[in-house]
């Protein structure tokens, strides 16, 4: 049942990406994506079924409590992975249709950054330090915004950094500035890393849906595409800093007002 629902949703999403007849390149991307979908859904689902059978079978009756807890933890992690895939698919589809409105409240800017850091701290490799850098003037600032969406942007940037940074640092940076043309106050959130970087020929493809730089990392390659859609919703932009050296730097900018 899941596969049928997913395929219908994905076909709609793919058809909306371009109103033109699909080129050979687009069809190749779609084939790769559908293969990824199958893998990303079947892998955690098979793990959940297998571990559950093991836990509740004859072998489970002779397990120590710590072994049972370990299996339950693996089941939980695979369930989270499956939910993430489903959420990303539905999220991007709703955003492209314009049916995913912002829900703004007064929130702490630094709390958003803290929650994003906490969400990935177990994904950071042992030789990598997860840092933050922001001016004191923004430390206690509250803003009127959709906290969930901002946290989602930072989370996706951080997950991307964790996947491709094997040593060094991953740093969240926050700053405010004035737009040179509109004179509006702007907020910039960026995640800098000392990872492998992005090859020049891959940079234009980064924010397209269903693109991954490698075939090893988990996920459908939708995180950055979702960030781009969120940026549009905020009247801002998301991009890769082309001048950053020594890794990658993903940037999110939007107009904002302090409360």
């Amino acid at each position: 049942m899941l596969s049928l629902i997913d395929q219908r949703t994905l076909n709609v999403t793919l058809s909306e990406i371009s109103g033109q007849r699909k080129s050979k390149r687009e069809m190749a991307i779609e084939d790769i994506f559908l293969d990824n979908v199958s893998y990303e859904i079947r892998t955690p689902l098979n793990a959940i079924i297998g571990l559950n059978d093991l836990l509740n079978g004859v072998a489970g009756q002779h397990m120590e409590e710590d072994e049972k807890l370990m299996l339950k933890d693996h089941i939980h992690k695979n369930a989270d992975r499956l939910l993430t895939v489903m959420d990303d698919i539905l999220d991007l589809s709703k955003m492209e249709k314009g049916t995913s409105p912002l829900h703004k409240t007064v929130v702490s800017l630094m709390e958003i950054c803290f929650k994003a850091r906490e969400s990935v701290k177990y994904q950071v490799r042992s030789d990598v330090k997860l840092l933050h850098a922001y001016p004191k003037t923004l430390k206690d600032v509250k803003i009127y915004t959709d906290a969930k969406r901002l946290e989602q942007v930072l989370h996706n940037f951080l997950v991307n950094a964790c996947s491709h940074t094997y040593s060094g640092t991953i740093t969240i940076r926050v700053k405010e500035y004035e737009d040179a043309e509109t004179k509006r106050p702007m907020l910039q959130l960026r995640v800098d890393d000392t990872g492998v970087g992005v090859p020049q020929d891959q940079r234009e493809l980064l924010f397209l849906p269903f693109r991954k730089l490698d075939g090893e990392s988990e996920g459908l390659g939708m995180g950055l595409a979702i960030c781009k859609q969120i940026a549009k919703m905020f009247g801002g932009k998301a991009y890769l800093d082309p001048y950053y050296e020594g890794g990658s730097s993903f940037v999110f900018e939007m107009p904002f007002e302090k409360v």
Side-chain angles (χ1 to χ4, degrees):
M1 187 64 176
L2 276 175
S3 299
L4 180 59
I5 294 173
D6 292 341
Q7 190 165 354
R8 287 176 180 173
T9 304
L10 298 175
N11 286 340
V12 171
T13 303
L14 287 166
S15 66
E16 290 173 353
I17 292 172
S18 172
Q20 304 172 357
R21 177 183 292 181
K22 295 175 184 175
S23 65
K24 289 183 179 180
R25 179 173 175 274
E26 288 172 328
M27 287 190 290
I29 291 174
E30 181 175 340
D31 287 341
I32 293 171
F33 169 64
L34 291 174
D35 287 342
N36 287 340
V37 168
S38 177
Y39 176 80
E40 291 296 334
I41 289 177
R42 287 176 181 275
T43 301
L45 201 54
N46 286 336
I48 291 168
I49 293 171
L51 292 171
N52 185 66
D53 287 346
L54 184 63
L55 191 61
N56 293 299
V58 176
Q61 297 175 9
H62 302 284
M63 286 182 181
E64 300 292 335
E65 282 303 312
D66 58 340
E67 292 178 301
K68 291 181 179 180
L69 287 174
M70 183 180 68
L71 290 181
K72 289 177 181 178
D73 183 57
H74 283 307
I75 291 172
H76 183 74
K77 287 180 179 178
N78 278 282
D80 281 345
R81 178 179 172 184
L82 186 58
L83 284 173
T84 297
V85 170
M86 297 300 299
D87 286 344
D88 283 352
I89 292 170
L90 296 174
D91 235 6
L92 186 59
S93 179
K94 288 179 181 179
M95 287 179 190
E96 289 179 340
K97 293 176 182 177
T99 59
S100 180
L102 295 174
H103 300 285
K104 295 185 177 182
T105 57
V106 177
V107 294
S108 165
L109 179 57
M110 292 306 101
E111 185 177 346
I112 291 171
C113 295
F114 174 78
K115 286 183 177 179
R117 286 181 61 201
E118 287 295 297
S119 71
V120 301
K121 65 180 182 181
Y122 295 113
Q123 299 181 42
V124 180
R125 289 178 168 85
S126 58
D127 291 333
V128 179
K129 291 184 178 180
L130 183 57
L131 308 173
H132 63 265
Y134 47 81
K136 292 182 179 179
T137 55
L138 292 176
K139 184 177 180 181
D140 299 315
V141 163
K142 292 185 182 295
I143 60 177
Y144 184 64
T145 191
D146 188 324
K148 179 183 176 181
R149 291 304 184 189
L150 277 191
E151 186 182 332
Q152 187 176 12
V153 169
L154 279 176
H155 173 80
N156 288 352
F157 281 175
L158 287 168
V159 167
N160 184 74
C162 290
S163 297
H164 301 97
T165 305
Y166 304 98
S167 63
T169 59
I170 297 172
T171 308
I172 298 176
R173 300 187 187 277
V174 183
K175 79 170 187 178
E176 59 177 327
Y177 68 96
E178 185 180 85
D179 186 273
E181 295 182 3
T182 65
K183 304 302 180 183
R184 295 181 65 181
M186 301 288 289
L187 175 68
Q188 182 187 91
L189 304 174
R190 66 190 295 150
V191 173
D192 299 343
D193 67 53
T194 56
V196 296
V198 181
Q200 190 69 38
D201 61 345
Q202 293 285 330
R203 293 184 177 183
E204 291 185 2
L205 306 174
L206 275 176
F207 288 90
L208 295 177
F210 324 129
R211 300 294 298 186
K212 293 199 292 186
L213 292 180
D214 57 64
E216 300 175 3
S217 55
E218 291 183 4
L220 294 174
M222 297 173 68
L224 294 178
I226 288 173
C227 290
K228 185 176 180 179
Q229 289 293 332
I230 292 175
K232 288 182 179 179
M233 292 164 66
F234 278 109
K237 57 183 178 179
Y239 61 94
L240 173 72
D241 186 345
Y243 304 107
Y244 183 83
E245 297 180 352
S248 301
S249 178
F250 287 89
V251 186
F252 175 87
E253 295 175 339
M254 71 171 195
F256 87 119
E257 292 183 11
K258 299 177 186 177
V259 177

